[in-house]
């Protein structure tokens, strides 16, 4: 076996292929002016190897395909198995665990490799390019930072504008409602533009073009680095109705036939060898022909919506590229398109009308989902498809996102650069091994920008990725062989010289409670001859397994992988943090006035405990409508608001059913003290429970009512907690998204107490208590 080869140092490319500017801030090359290339990176989300047209997929992606036709397709590109880890690795040019992003950032652990806090010495490509004179913009998803920093109180050192980007416009966290997203501009929460046809990807494209135009205010226009991180095609799978209609009936063939068709197309395109065999269906994935009529109808609609979402995103990406062409900048723009990991199986067996069911440990049945069939993909759902489509989306590979099999880590990569690559590449293939951490050093080499020794007064660590610029001009370039580890919550893997070792610790990505040591036996696959990982050769080649296992151990020790946690370890850690915060505050959360966009993870624990909330409001007329406090959105949320002056409390279920409690009269103009008592026994997530709601104004009870509601442990992936506004998906239909309270809000105080298991709480009014006896 060959010894481990360290990462190739960043250096100017001296062989054939593209000529790059020298590493000089002013972009000069031996006194001759050489304009630096612009850089456009589109990071897709949860898009598998076999889903885009240029890689054999059946989904229409003409604008991605144009990038492929004008550039190069990398067929051996790998990434981390989950979003936060991949994005952190791409932007920093370092391994995920090295930059403390070994898993999903929203469920961090105290372990060094998993605390989600990228060290200051691991500066991003954006910071390096900005130091070299680039204008830098980030749009879309920003999820690689600790959950308790996802709020207006900061700290902001892990936000985009502190990670090298001049401007950011998008959302914080894993995903958001595409019809009513929770948006941030730079560091400030903002309302969704008032447009009845609003879609997030349309907005991102307009904002991207606007940011690029703003550079023209200077005579000497700076080159740009534009990082477009769409939420597409992560759940919720949302799409314009015209695209959903376009795909009606396209996937009635089912996932088994689709896999065969895609594989045939991939072989014809040369994407995979002619003798490639499909990976077997995973346990629990039924043959399409065995399904009931309802199941086929439901699953086909799910895939239609996913395809519609991806095609709609491609359409908006095309508007950015078209504008670059119109302004004459496309010729000298490096365009890179890829995905953060393989297609996602988090919809489990039947998919889900609301992805937050998965986050709350509930897997809907076909019958439950059929209620939403006609609405699937529209604003009344937050959907995800059944995991059979993820398997098909990763054709020909095995498994899906969150696993270290090829289906989780092997994704498309496309690179075009008309001026640098020339006109004769014509969609050529590149089969050299490339990794997500290689992207930053590659782009920096092509831009002629060296790694800054110091950024923000902090000495920088070396990038760990290897530039693959040497492959751009030479399809036959000898692969710079190295080993590369993969790891996610006990799923382990390593690639070396065309072979892979993997383990099966947690294959059901929807299982959030898996525990136990990650000590499963290594499996061995020869990827040169078996792309689908269908033949485990571990028993036949024990020496190779041992050598590669040693490589994994060396890298795991070097890059902060050890100790390896389970995802379930996060729940205890985060619960302990919340409990410590509860004790520190003595159960009291107080806000002196309006605030927006506090992450649900650090919000007052309104789902978990009974509470009394008090607030003084001042109204001009007494007929005002607007939110006092909100958390979540219209498909899972809680709000206290005024409706034409009437204090109203709303609980929205994950199925969209509302539980509404309104006071008996409106408030008067001027000042009023409102008290809300929320009284219940110990929380049991999604289990219908008795809750007493009491509303008082100036000490007088206006309503005291019993309701039954199944409280989720978490309402939303991105719609956080706010006072005086509701900028994302509005909890109540009584006011539109983006509504700001039209009067004055004084101090808002929540006083929580621990509930008795099975007993009633004691925070209610005397009238409420009497009504319960």
């Amino acid at each position: 076996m060959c010894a481990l080869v360290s990462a190739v140092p960043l250096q100017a490319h001296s062989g054939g292929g593209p000529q790059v500017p020298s590493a000089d801030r002013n972009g000069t090359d031996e006194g001759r002016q050489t304009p630096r290339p612009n850089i456009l990176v589109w990071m897709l989300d949860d898009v598998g190897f076999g889903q885009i047209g240029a890689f054999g997929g059946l989904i229409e992606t003409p604008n991605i395909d144009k990038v492929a036709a004008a550039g190069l397709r990398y067929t051996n590109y790998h990434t981390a198995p989950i979003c936060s880890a991949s994005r952190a690795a791409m932007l920093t040019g370092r391994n995920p665990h090295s930059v403390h992003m070994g898993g999903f950032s929203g469920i961090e652990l105290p372990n060094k490799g998993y605390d989600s806090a990228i060290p200051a010495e691991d500066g991003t490509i954006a910071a390096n390019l900005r130091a070299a004179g680039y204008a830098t913009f980030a749009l879309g998803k920003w999820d690689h930072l600790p959950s308790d920093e996802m709020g207006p109180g900061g700290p902001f050192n892990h936000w985009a504008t502190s990670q090298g980007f001049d401007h950011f416009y998008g959302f914080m966290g894993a995903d958001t409602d595409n019809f009513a997203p929770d948006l941030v501009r730079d560091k400030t929460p903002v309302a969704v533009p008032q447009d009845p046809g609003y879609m997030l990807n349309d907005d991102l494209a307009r904002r991207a073009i606007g940011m690029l135009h703003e550079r023209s205010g200077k005579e000497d226009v700076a080159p740009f680095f534009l990082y477009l991180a769409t939420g597409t095609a992560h759940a919720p799978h949302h799409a314009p109705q015209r695209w959903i209609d376009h795909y009606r009936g396209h996937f009635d063939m089912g996932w088994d036939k689709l896999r065969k068709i895609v594989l045939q197309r991939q072989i014809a395109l040369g994407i995979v060898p002619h003798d490639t065999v499909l990976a077997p269906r995973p346990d629990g994935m039924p043959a399409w022909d065995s399904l009931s009529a309802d199941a086929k109808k439901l699953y086909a609609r799910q895939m239609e919506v996913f395809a519609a979402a991806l095609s709609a995103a491609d359409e908006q990406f095309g508007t950015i590229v078209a504008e670059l062409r119109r302004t004459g900048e496309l010729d000298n723009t490096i365009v890179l398109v890829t995905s953060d990991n393989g297609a996602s199986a988090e919809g489990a067996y039947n998919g889900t009308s609301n992805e937050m069911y998965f986050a709350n440990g509930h897997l809907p049945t076909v019958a439950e989902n059929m209620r939403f069939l006609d609405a699937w993909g529209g604003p009344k759902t937050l959907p995800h498809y059944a995991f059979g489509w993820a398997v098909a989306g990763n054709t020909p590979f095995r498994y899906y996102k969150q696993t270290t099999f090829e289906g989780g880590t092997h994704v498309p990569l496309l690179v075009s650069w008309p001026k640098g690559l020339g006109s004769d590449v014509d969609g050529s293939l590149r089969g050299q091994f490339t990794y997500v951490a290689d992207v930053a050093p590659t782009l920096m080499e092509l831009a002629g920008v060296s790694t800054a020794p110091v950024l923000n007064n902090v000495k920088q660590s070396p990038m760990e990725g290897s530039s693959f610029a040497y492959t751009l001009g030479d399809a036959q370039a000898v692969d710079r062989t190295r080993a590369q580890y993969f790891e996610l919550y006990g799923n382990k893997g390593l690639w070396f010289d065309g072979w892979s070792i993997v383990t099966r610790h947690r294959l059901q990505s929807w299982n959030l409670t898996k525990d136990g040591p990650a000590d499963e036996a290594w499996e061995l696959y020869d990827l040169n001859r078996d792309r689908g990982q269908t033949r485990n050769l571990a028993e036949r080649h024990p020496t190779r397994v041992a050598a590669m296992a040693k490589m994994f151990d060396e890298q795991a020790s070097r890059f902060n992988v050890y100790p390896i946690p389970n995802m379930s370890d996060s729940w205890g850690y985060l619960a302990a943090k919340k409990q410590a915060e509860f004790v520190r505050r003595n159960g009291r959360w107080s806000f002196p006035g309006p605030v927006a966009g506090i992450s649900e993870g650090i919000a007052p624990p309104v789902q978990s405990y009974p509470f009394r909330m008090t607030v003084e409001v001042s109204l001009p007329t007494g007929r005002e409508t607007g939110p006092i406090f909100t958390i979540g959105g219209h498909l899972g949320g809680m709000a206290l608001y005024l409706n034409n002056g009437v204090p109203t409390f709303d609980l929205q279920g994950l199925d969209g059913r509302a539980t509404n409690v309104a006071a008996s009269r409106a408030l008067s103009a001027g000042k009023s003290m409102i008290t809300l008592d929320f009284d219940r026994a110990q929380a049991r997530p999604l289990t219908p429970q008795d809750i007493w709601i009491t509303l008082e104004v100036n000490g007088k009870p206006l309503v005291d009512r019993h309701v039954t509601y199944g409280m989720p442990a978490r309402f939303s992936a991105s719609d956080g907690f706010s006072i005086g506004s509701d900028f994302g998906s509005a909890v109540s239909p009584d006011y539109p998204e983006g509504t700001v309270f039209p009067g004055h809000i004084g101090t808002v105080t929540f006083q929580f107490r621990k509930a008795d298991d099975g007993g009633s709480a004691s925070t209610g009014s005397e009238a409420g208590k009497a009504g319960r006896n």
Side-chain angles (χ1 to χ4, degrees):
M1 295 296 293
C2 298
L4 261 177
V5 179
S6 61
V8 178
L10 181 64
Q11 57 187 3
H13 177 55
S14 58
Q19 298 300 307
V20 301
S22 60
D24 175 79
R25 190 185 188 284
N26 296 316
T28 59
D29 183 7
E30 299 178 355
R32 180 171 54 84
Q33 196 70 17
T34 305
R36 294 190 188 281
N38 302 308
I39 301 172
L40 166 58
V41 172
W42 183 14
M43 174 66 94
L44 287 156
D45 202 326
D46 289 0
V47 173
F49 188 83
Q51 289 181 318
I52 63 174
F55 277 69
L58 302 186
I59 299 173
E60 296 172 25
T61 53
N63 293 295
I64 296 176
D65 298 348
K66 288 176 184 177
V67 173
L72 304 171
R73 288 171 292 171
Y74 282 79
T75 62
N76 198 13
Y77 173 75
H78 289 72
T79 185
I82 200 166
C83 50
S84 301
S86 294
R87 293 156 195 270
M90 171 178 276
L91 290 174
T92 64
R94 298 165 177 93
N95 283 296
H97 299 74
S98 284
V99 294
H100 300 204
M101 204 69 62
F104 172 53
S105 65
I107 51 173
E108 67 269 17
L109 283 159
N111 312 30
K112 188 175 181 180
Y114 305 85
D115 65 19
S116 303
I118 298 175
E121 62 266 24
D122 297 324
T124 66
I125 179 177
N128 280 279
L129 292 175
R130 184 165 68 177
Y134 273 72
T136 55
F137 311 112
L139 297 104
K141 175 172 174 173
W142 193 267
D143 74 328
H144 41 285
L145 74 167
S147 60
D148 57 7
E149 295 183 14
M150 292 184 186
F156 299 107
N157 54 309
H158 294 114
W159 287 47
T161 51
S162 298
Q163 292 278 307
F165 289 99
D166 295 326
H167 292 291
F168 169 71
Y169 183 82
F171 59 94
M172 310 295 290
D175 62 57
T176 193
D177 187 320
N178 291 274
F179 295 99
D182 216 16
L183 293 172
V184 171
R185 181 185 295 119
D186 294 339
K187 299 175 184 175
T188 305
V190 294
V192 172
Q194 292 301 305
D195 177 357
Y198 179 89
M199 289 294 294
L200 176 58
N201 286 331
D202 302 18
D203 190 11
L204 294 179
R206 287 192 296 267
R207 298 283 178 169
I209 291 170
M211 290 178 181
L212 297 179
H213 286 175
E214 289 167 2
R215 297 160 43 246
S216 63
K218 294 178 63 178
E219 183 176 350
D220 183 17
V221 177
F224 67 80
F225 172 51
L226 176 64
Y227 172 65
L228 175 66
T230 58
T232 308
H234 193 290
H237 299 158
H238 281 154
Q241 189 61 46
R242 60 183 176 86
W243 273 110
I244 296 175
D245 293 341
H246 173 78
Y247 277 107
R248 295 291 169 124
H250 276 51
F251 300 101
D252 290 352
M253 71 186 77
W255 45 57
D256 292 328
K257 186 174 180 180
L258 182 141
R259 294 177 78 203
K260 294 176 181 178
I261 293 173
V262 171
L263 177 59
Q264 291 170 356
R265 289 163 61 99
Q266 290 173 335
I267 291 172
L269 290 168
I271 298 295
V272 298
H274 71 278
D275 58 352
T276 299
V277 176
L278 281 173
R281 284 194 302 266
D283 291 344
M285 177 183 167
W288 185 265
D289 290 343
S290 72
L291 298 172
S292 68
D294 274 356
K296 288 180 179 178
K297 189 174 182 179
L298 172 68
Y299 299 160
R301 176 63 51 81
Q302 293 171 352
M303 188 58 198
E304 292 166 6
V305 167
F306 177 90
L310 184 52
S311 289
D314 176 84
E315 182 177 53
Q316 293 307 311
F317 169 69
T319 67
I320 300 173
V321 174
E323 184 63 12
L324 291 175
R325 183 180 294 109
R326 186 189 73 82
T327 59
E329 291 198 275
L330 184 60
D331 189 54
N332 196 32
T333 297
I334 301 168
V335 180
L336 186 148
V337 181
T338 189
S339 178
D340 57 356
N341 44 245
S344 170
E346 289 157 6
Y349 304 104
N350 301 310
T352 177
S353 65
N354 186 334
E355 61 166 337
M356 295 311 295
Y357 279 124
F358 155 71
N360 283 278
H362 175 63
L363 305 181
T365 64
V366 168
E368 288 177 274
N369 283 328
M370 285 295 287
R371 288 184 49 228
F372 300 91
L373 182 69
D374 293 337
W376 206 274
K380 295 182 179 180
T381 64
L382 296 169
H384 195 302
Y385 56 22
F387 88 111
W389 291 121
V391 175
N394 294 321
T395 298
F397 304 137
R398 196 163 195 172
Y399 294 115
Y400 30 71
K401 172 185 176 182
Q402 294 198 37
T403 75
T404 50
F405 282 80
E406 291 288 281
T409 65
H410 196 153
V411 299
L413 173 68
L414 307 98
V415 180
S416 74
W417 181 19
K419 184 175 181 180
L421 296 178
S423 60
D424 59 346
V425 290
D426 296 331
S428 298
L429 305 180
R430 295 292 183 269
Q432 294 90 349
F433 178 85
T434 47
Y435 181 60
V436 63
D438 302 342
V439 171
T442 302
L443 293 175
M444 288 173 62
E445 178 176 339
L446 297 178
V449 173
S450 298
T451 307
V454 176
L455 289 170
N456 297 322
N457 298 317
V458 177
K459 184 178 179 181
Q460 295 294 288
S461 68
M463 286 189 175
E464 295 162 354
S466 303
S467 171
F468 56 85
Y470 75 97
T471 68
L472 269 65
D474 187 0
Q476 304 305 317
V478 176
D479 207 335
R480 294 177 178 174
T481 303
R482 58 165 175 188
Q484 178 61 53
Y485 83 93
F486 304 90
E487 190 279 329
L488 182 71
Y489 302 126
N491 287 332
K492 301 182 294 185
L494 182 121
W495 182 97
F496 180 70
D497 197 24
W499 292 76
S500 73
I501 53 171
V502 290
T503 62
R504 299 168 177 255
H505 182 66
R506 177 176 168 267
L507 295 183
Q508 293 183 331
S509 57
W510 53 89
N511 181 354
L512 308 182
T513 60
K514 171 70 177 178
D515 58 12
D519 57 2
E520 290 79 9
W522 288 108
E523 299 177 21
L524 175 70
Y525 297 96
D526 181 355
L527 298 179
N528 293 312
R529 296 175 175 84
D530 181 19
R531 299 294 177 94
Q533 294 175 302
T534 64
R535 300 183 298 276
N536 178 10
L537 305 177
E539 291 186 1
R540 190 180 303 176
H541 300 287
T543 303
R544 184 182 291 272
V545 172
M548 292 180 70
K550 182 179 180 182
M551 292 178 186
F552 177 90
D553 184 65
E554 290 171 347
Q555 293 199 358
S557 299
R558 189 195 320 171
F559 298 128
N560 302 330
V561 176
Y562 292 142
I564 293 176
N566 285 290
M567 178 183 281
S568 59
D569 295 338
S570 297
W571 312 133
Y573 172 69
L574 295 174
K577 282 182 65 174
K578 288 184 178 182
Q579 178 61 23
E581 182 70 0
F582 189 98
V583 171
R584 187 185 72 82
R585 291 174 174 268
N586 197 26
R588 180 183 177 88
W589 272 254
S590 186
F591 303 88
V595 62
I598 296 176
S599 169
E600 192 170 323
I602 55 174
V606 293
Q607 300 104 304
S608 302
Y609 305 112
F611 62 86
R612 167 171 285 185
M613 190 224 73
T614 58
V615 58
E616 184 179 76
V617 301
S618 182
L619 305 177
T621 69
R623 305 301 298 173
E624 285 75 15
T625 294
I628 296 172
F629 87 84
T630 68
I631 185 169
H634 73 296
L635 292 173
M638 177 189 297
L640 176 66
Y641 61 99
L642 299 185
N643 184 16
N644 291 320
V646 177
T648 307
F649 183 72
D650 209 356
L651 288 167
Q652 290 285 343
L654 299 184
D655 59 359
R657 293 172 176 167
T659 301
N660 189 272
V661 178
S664 56
R665 61 176 175 81
L667 302 182
S668 302
K671 293 183 179 179
S672 296
M673 179 64 72
I674 302 174
T675 300
L676 165 68
D677 283 319
F678 184 89
D679 188 4
R680 68 170 185 183
Q682 180 176 321
R684 293 181 178 86
L686 295 184
T687 301
Q689 290 181 285
D690 291 338
I691 301 172
W692 283 90
I693 310 297
T694 305
L695 283 168
E696 297 178 354
V697 175
N698 299 324
K700 297 180 180 179
L702 296 187
V703 65
D704 193 356
R705 182 179 158 194
H706 158 268
V707 300
T708 301
Y709 178 74
M711 182 72 70
R714 187 175 179 93
F715 284 122
S716 171
S718 65
D719 278 321
F721 173 86
S722 297
I723 290 173
S725 62
D726 198 350
F727 282 161
S729 162
V731 175
S732 172
D734 290 335
Y735 57 86
E737 285 90 2
T739 297
V740 175
F741 188 78
H744 174 76
I745 292 181
T747 298
V748 179
T749 299
F750 291 82
Q751 182 63 58
F752 295 88
R753 74 169 191 84
K754 296 296 183 67
D756 296 325
D757 187 6
S760 64
S762 59
T763 56
S765 67
E766 291 302 315
K769 293 175 188 175
R772 275 162 268 172
N773 290 334

